[in-house]
Amino acid sequence: MNAAAHVSQLKAELRDDTAMVATATPRLSWTVSSVEPGWLQASAELSDGDQTILIDGRDSVLVAWPFRPLVAGEIRPVRVRATADSGTQTEWSSPLPVEAGFLAEGEWIAEPIGLADPDREAQPAEVRTTFTVERPVARAVLFWTALGVAEPTVNGAAVSSDVLAPGWTAYRDRLVHESVDVTALIQDGVNELAATLAGAWYTEKYGFFTFTNRLYGTQPSFLAQLRVTYADGGTETLAATGADWEAAGDGPVVDSGIYAGEHQNLRRAPSSWAPARVGAAALPGFENVPVPEARIAPPVRRIEARPVADVITTPDGRTILDFGQNLVGRLRIRARGTAGTRVVVRHAEVVENGELALRPLRNAAATATFELSGDDDVLESRFSFYGFRYAEISGLEVSPGDVDAVVLHTDMTRSGWFATSDPLVNRLHENVVWGMRGNFLSIPTDCPQRDERLGWTGDIQVFAPTASFLYDCNAFLTSWLRDLRHEQRREGGSVPVVIPAALPGFAGSGGAAPAAWGDAATVVPTVLHDRFGDLSVLAAQYSSMRDWVDTVLRDADDRGLWAGRMQLGDWLDPDAPADQPGAAKVDSDIVASAYLARSLRQVSQAAALLGHDADATRYAELSERSRAAFVAEYVTPAGRMMSDAVTAYALALEFDLVTVAAQRVALGDRLAALVREGGYRIATGFVGTPLVADALTSAGHLAAAERLLLQTECPSWLYPVTQGATTVWERWDSLLPDGSVNPGEMTSFNHYALGAVADWLHRSVAGLAPAAPGYRRLRIAPRPLAALAHAEARHETPYGTASVSWVREGDEIVVTAVVPANTTAEVSLPGAPAEVSAGTHVWRYHAETTPVRPPLPGLAASLADVIDDPRAYRALLDTLAAIDPDRAESVRAGTVWGAGRPLSTALMFTPPDVLSRVDDAIRTATA
């Protein structure tokens, strides 16, 4: 035995927040902590209390269940003991209770119930029934779901702390049921099972502008049943929703909606009980209510509460509370006032001209209204949520100390951290984290505040690698992919632009959906396999992946190019007009064909992993055909893109579409030149932004990637940070430099898509990445940026904690890496070995010296030399701004900073005395 080696974690299937599992054969994962260098597992023993199974080899992540399958309601204690190649052995782990959280075939009998005679559409309701327990109970599990959202109680006590459950799914094909142990709430004799329910996503109106309609149904419904296991071993299903339930529509929740917000009257208690409606209040096409499946992802919960950070008085005397962080959730207010006093809470992400900026919310009222009971009240919305940093409370004087902002999101486990010596970069990364937290609420949404909050496929497609580092989101995205598969099947292979498909007919109707959006079908499963080592997600989604590329191929030409179709392209290119977000610099046909070639390759790779050899060969050939056609159509032999835009070069390089070495060098050089010519300001939208820093780095232009990252002028990643942003914005200039809100119709201050650069920060700046699926093999390859003194990344891999950090010590870079037990790592560092085993490793190497910049000859200096020398650039702009601020801004924003052009060409028609002052300033600054 080796006391220094022990099993530090054991998990069944994908969740770590419950003992419940959704399958009879849950996969098992365990991590070993050991101080023994190079610890590699040789074998492991698994026990479920009845059997002990020996498994040879290194597998310790998502290992197939080796025991008899679980039966519904069964609980087994699972333990593991691991033995190393060296012979050292861990102790047996603590037993992990694994409970079957699913129902047996045919066991689900609950029917949808709700208000039989509602007063209005989407009316919240209370439902209840009683049941009698006449002998001792050993176990009671409540299985429930809703068409809408609900909060069940047993004998007046909440069954769980979950909120907005069961969440949003593709209602025609998939419902998720909760499995909750309520044994402690059951009493001898008569018991009451009740629930408060609201419509939420099920009854919301979806669409844009005034073209909005309910899609799924007009009223919420509740479905539940209780499985009771008695002490004598017998089981019984009790209280199943049906005709013996009753409902009331006059409870304290008066109205509630995702977009509208919520109205509560705390003086009310349900009294108008009547027999419940039995059956769903569904709209045409959504009458089918599928048999619910057990939840596989964590639910939404209250994650933390944040106090008021500041109090602002508006120009007209109102009070706004500032919570210091743009977040998603709702307020919790401790209040006391005269019965009937109406308290109104309005929410906003930013303040404009001293007032709440409500225009970006569009048609979302996002308002919480409460009528006080006259006693001590705690005011908190129950079935709605808001995206906000600022809140205005009217109707009652409330002390800021009596108000908290309750943060809501899916209760995933944090798994990744990153930090540098630069506080602005750190804040950028924190903004990315908060953007993910706010938008990973039941489904991966685009924004959490306005009348949208939809599962846009393009957003998660580009952000999935970053998300998979920051949080253990495997279960969350696997669940969402199930909905994608269902919705795609109904579209004949095309992927709706939002999942669940709440915008029928939007974009792609009658053909393939837009590239980069529909490609979520191939990209997200690939990422989950890469980051979590989960082959089953590829198996489950393979037909979806294949159907997507087959759909596109039917729409493409016979060369394998996808062109001439409606596309969203490089969405929100910073040069696109505010009202034309798809008007990007790169040709959308280039985006489409690039994605087709990559998705075909991903399908081929998935097929090979799954043993579909014929498919692997076929799709590899199709991918190569599209790749070759892309090069022939869009890339010149000399290495220039026909669409001379940053995104075009980034796609060609990062998707490995160009394979000839000389062409790749030329493409990389031109990409770097374009980035310089743009003043090291962002020139990409949703598609190009996640790729550009990687493309520059791999092409040998790390300094250009660094300048792009550290730029603070608009547009840039750090510009929002300098404007006080605490989340990533939808637009590079959602807030303009003068403090006004961008006039565009789409102006969210909490979108994660442009934060996908964080994946590059983790992999390249800090240098921690997977080299084999699930981090079974790590890649340690930091690329220190000249402006940083240190950087670090830490990640809870499926095998344990891995980390890489580097720090400058004099003229050396010192790199420290921690490789978890049962893994190895490949290393890309000067003087370091190519491979290392588990343990802590330290390497030192001489840092590259920063070249001394030569003096510049004033107006004769090239524009490239001016932009590359911060001293000269600052001297130029400061000198012009002191004379003519408008001219300074024109030069800053409008100059093409090319290598073959003298500075004087950017200052045509400038008075001689000003030219002289500029010439002197640059010479002096660079002397």
Side-chain angles (χ1 to χ4, degrees):
M1 299 295 179
N2 180 6
H6 64 279
V7 177
S8 53
Q9 184 185 45
L10 174 61
K11 182 168 73 170
E13 209 35 50
L14 302 182
R15 292 177 64 179
D16 57 11
D17 64 314
T18 178
M20 300 279 189
V21 294
T23 173
T25 54
R27 295 165 296 172
L28 300 172
S29 301
W30 58 92
T31 59
V32 172
S33 296
S34 176
V35 296
E36 178 184 332
W39 196 98
L40 286 177
Q41 178 181 291
S43 64
E45 295 168 276
L46 295 168
S47 171
D48 69 347
D50 295 328
Q51 291 178 281
T52 298
I53 306 293
L54 176 66
I55 299 174
D56 289 323
R58 284 181 55 193
D59 289 348
S60 63
V61 173
L62 298 172
V63 174
W65 180 258
F67 311 116
R68 171 181 56 83
L70 296 166
V71 298
E74 186 178 10
I75 305 174
R76 284 197 227 152
V78 174
R79 298 187 301 158
V80 64
R81 178 170 64 181
T83 301
D85 284 341
S86 64
T88 60
Q89 189 177 64
T90 71
E91 298 286 350
W92 281 102
S93 69
S94 299
L96 172 73
V98 179
E99 179 173 358
F102 51 87
L103 293 102
E105 185 74 24
E107 187 180 357
W108 184 265
I109 61 172
E111 298 179 274
I113 63 165
L115 281 175
D117 190 20
D119 298 326
R120 58 199 178 277
E121 290 191 340
Q123 184 175 351
E126 310 267 345
V127 294
R128 70 181 184 185
T129 195
T130 59
F131 60 96
T132 303
V133 172
E134 297 179 336
R135 60 190 200 268
V137 172
R139 184 80 166 162
V141 177
L142 177 67
F143 302 96
W144 73 271
T145 188
L147 298 169
V149 293
E151 292 180 353
T153 61
V154 172
N155 296 321
V159 303
S160 74
S161 60
D162 304 349
V163 296
L164 294 164
W168 189 9
T169 54
Y171 291 118
R172 288 177 294 188
D173 300 293
R174 181 170 180 252
L175 273 179
V176 168
H177 72 68
E178 309 293 346
S179 309
V180 188
D181 178 2
V182 295
T183 310
L185 303 180
I186 302 296
Q187 60 192 25
D188 293 338
V190 178
N191 293 261
E192 180 189 70
L193 173 58
T196 305
L197 60 151
W201 295 284
Y202 185 73
T203 58
E204 190 54 75
K205 292 183 177 180
Y206 299 104
F208 298 109
F209 309 108
T210 60
F211 305 103
T212 61
N213 291 287
R214 298 193 201 284
L215 177 65
Y216 302 115
T218 57
Q219 298 292 338
S221 298
F222 182 65
L223 303 88
Q225 61 189 62
L226 186 69
R227 182 204 288 143
V228 177
T229 303
Y230 296 105
D232 60 14
T235 62
E236 187 176 10
T237 296
L238 299 175
T241 48
D244 55 349
W245 280 66
E246 55 184 358
D250 57 352
V253 182
V254 180
D255 283 299
S256 183
I258 295 294
Y259 300 152
E262 191 162 292
H263 175 198
Q264 296 180 16
N265 185 341
L266 301 180
R267 296 171 298 171
R268 298 198 334 176
S271 59
S272 57
W273 294 101
R277 159 184 46 85
V278 179
L283 288 167
F286 294 89
E287 297 90 348
N288 177 61
V289 178
V291 174
E293 64 180 56
R295 171 180 287 284
I296 63 170
V300 176
R301 294 191 173 108
R302 297 173 179 87
I303 304 300
E304 65 174 286
R306 297 181 67 90
V308 174
D310 195 13
V311 179
I312 301 169
T313 301
T314 70
D316 57 3
R318 291 195 293 267
T319 299
I320 294 176
L321 303 181
D322 176 7
F323 292 90
Q325 172 63 53
N326 195 17
L327 56 88
V328 174
R330 56 257 191 133
L331 295 195
R332 180 187 294 138
I333 306 168
R334 294 165 288 280
R336 186 182 183 94
T338 304
T341 298
R342 176 169 286 214
V343 179
V344 178
V345 184
R346 297 193 304 165
H347 308 81
E349 295 185 294
V350 295
V351 171
E352 184 178 28
N353 299 322
E355 303 285 351
L356 293 180
L358 300 176
R359 179 178 61 82
L361 299 178
R362 300 192 307 210
N363 293 324
T367 300
T369 303
F370 306 92
E371 293 168 49
L372 302 185
S373 69
D375 203 345
D376 290 329
D377 291 320
V378 177
L379 313 180
E380 181 182 342
S381 296
R382 295 170 64 180
F383 302 114
S384 192
F385 60 93
Y386 313 92
F388 67 100
R389 171 175 171 170
Y390 302 93
E392 178 189 289
I393 303 173
S394 60
L396 185 72
E397 289 292 329
V398 177
S399 167
D402 288 329
V403 184
D404 294 313
V406 178
V407 177
L408 302 179
H409 59 75
T410 294
D411 193 10
M412 304 167 294
T413 299
R414 182 76 186 267
S415 60
W417 295 265
F418 170 85
T420 75
S421 57
D422 189 318
L424 293 182
V425 175
N426 292 344
R427 183 66 247 189
L428 167 65
H429 191 267
E430 190 68 5
N431 291 359
V432 175
V433 174
W434 275 99
M436 178 178 174
R437 294 179 69 180
N439 283 291
F440 273 49
L441 193 154
S442 183
I443 65 167
T445 58
D446 60 326
C447 63
Q449 71 300 97
R450 67 185 181 220
D451 56 342
E452 198 163 345
R453 315 183 198 191
L454 302 172
W456 285 93
T457 48
D459 298 53
I460 190 59
Q461 181 266 129
V462 298
F463 191 72
T466 297
S468 298
F469 179 90
L470 296 175
Y471 280 87
D472 182 354
C473 57
N474 190 16
F476 176 87
L477 290 176
T478 296
S479 178
W480 179 78
L481 282 170
R482 290 189 180 185
D483 292 313
L484 183 149
R485 190 170 70 240
H486 284 302
E487 302 283 32
Q488 178 188 12
R489 188 176 296 124
R490 288 185 174 272
E491 291 294 320
S494 185
V495 177
V497 290
V498 297
I499 302 293
L503 300 175
F506 179 89
S509 178
W517 276 252
D519 292 280
T522 55
V523 173
V524 177
T526 300
V527 170
L528 295 185
H529 174 252
D530 179 53
R531 299 305 176 95
F532 298 104
D534 193 346
L535 188 62
S536 75
V537 73
L538 289 180
Q541 296 299 131
Y542 180 70
S543 62
S544 164
M545 299 172 72
R546 186 187 57 209
D547 289 350
W548 164 245
V549 293
D550 286 349
T551 298
V552 177
L553 287 170
R554 289 193 295 270
D555 209 37
D557 66 23
D558 57 8
R559 297 172 297 166
L561 292 178
W562 191 17
R565 302 298 190 184
M566 193 288 291
Q567 299 287 351
L568 298 179
D570 196 21
W571 189 253
L572 287 173
D573 180 310
D575 292 337
D579 59 346
Q580 296 180 51
K585 292 182 287 294
V586 65
D587 189 326
S588 63
D589 288 349
I590 286 181
V591 174
S593 293
Y595 265 92
L596 173 57
R598 186 176 69 154
S599 280
L600 286 165
R601 185 188 314 133
Q602 289 173 331
V603 172
S604 172
Q605 292 167 343
L609 288 167
L610 297 170
H612 305 316
D613 296 339
D615 274 4
T617 299
R618 175 173 176 260
Y619 288 108
E621 291 171 351
L622 289 169
S623 176
E624 174 57 23
R625 184 187 69 162
S626 287
R627 186 206 65 77
F630 179 94
V631 173
E633 187 78 6
Y634 301 122
V635 185
T636 72
R640 290 287 286 261
M641 297 298 300
M642 297 300 291
S643 187
D644 195 32
V646 168
T647 294
Y649 290 90
L651 285 166
L653 290 167
E654 284 306 294
F655 285 9
D656 290 323
L657 301 175
V658 175
T659 56
V660 176
Q663 274 185 311
R664 289 185 64 85
V665 169
L667 289 168
D669 290 346
R670 179 55 186 162
L671 171 62
L674 282 173
V675 169
R676 178 200 287 124
E677 289 175 6
Y680 297 105
R681 292 185 293 272
I682 286 289
T684 52
F686 275 28
V687 167
T689 296
L691 305 175
V692 60
D694 270 308
L696 287 167
T697 303
S698 61
H701 297 284
L702 181 64
E706 175 180 351
R707 287 289 303 273
L708 199 61
L709 171 69
L710 299 181
Q711 176 66 268
T712 57
E713 296 178 8
C714 184
S716 68
W717 283 295
L718 295 186
Y719 165 74
V721 175
T722 66
Q723 298 298 302
T726 59
T727 41
V728 174
W729 297 347
E730 178 178 23
R731 295 178 181 270
W732 296 107
D733 58 350
S734 285
L735 198 68
L736 302 179
D738 64 5
S740 62
V741 174
N742 188 295
E745 181 67 26
M746 302 185 322
T747 307
S748 158
F749 292 89
N750 194 351
H751 256 66
Y752 52 60
L754 299 178
V757 67
D759 189 51
W760 174 74
L761 297 177
H762 307 148
R763 291 182 293 98
S764 293
V765 176
L768 176 59
Y775 293 85
R776 186 180 178 106
R777 181 176 173 86
L778 278 64
R779 176 169 169 79
I780 299 168
R783 297 295 180 258
L785 304 185
L788 301 182
H790 60 81
E792 60 183 302
R794 175 166 56 92
H795 182 57
E796 295 298 329
T797 79
Y799 294 89
T801 305
S803 65
V804 177
S805 64
W806 59 264
V807 62
R808 295 183 187 276
E809 291 185 2
D811 62 353
E812 286 189 318
I813 302 284
V814 181
V815 178
T816 303
V818 175
V819 180
N822 207 27
T823 69
T824 59
E826 64 181 43
V827 183
S828 175
L829 286 172
E835 181 175 342
V836 295
S837 57
T840 300
H841 306 273
V842 179
W843 302 282
R844 293 175 175 268
Y845 66 92
H846 283 282
E848 292 184 9
T849 57
T850 303
V852 177
R853 296 194 176 278
L856 294 183
L859 294 173
S862 77
L863 287 165
D865 286 342
V866 171
I867 195 67
D868 281 343
D869 190 328
R871 302 169 302 171
Y873 181 65
R874 194 72 266 152
L876 166 66
L877 295 186
D878 287 349
T879 302
L880 290 175
I883 302 166
D884 184 349
D886 290 340
R887 184 64 190 278
E889 175 59 20
S890 176
V891 169
R892 184 198 71 82
T895 299
V896 175
W897 304 90
R901 309 164 190 169
L903 172 59
S904 58
T905 62
L907 299 174
M908 294 177 65
F909 311 113
T910 300
D913 61 320
V914 176
L915 290 174
S916 177
R917 291 172 62 175
V918 168
D919 187 81
D920 288 344
I922 290 176
R923 292 176 185 273
T924 300
T926 61

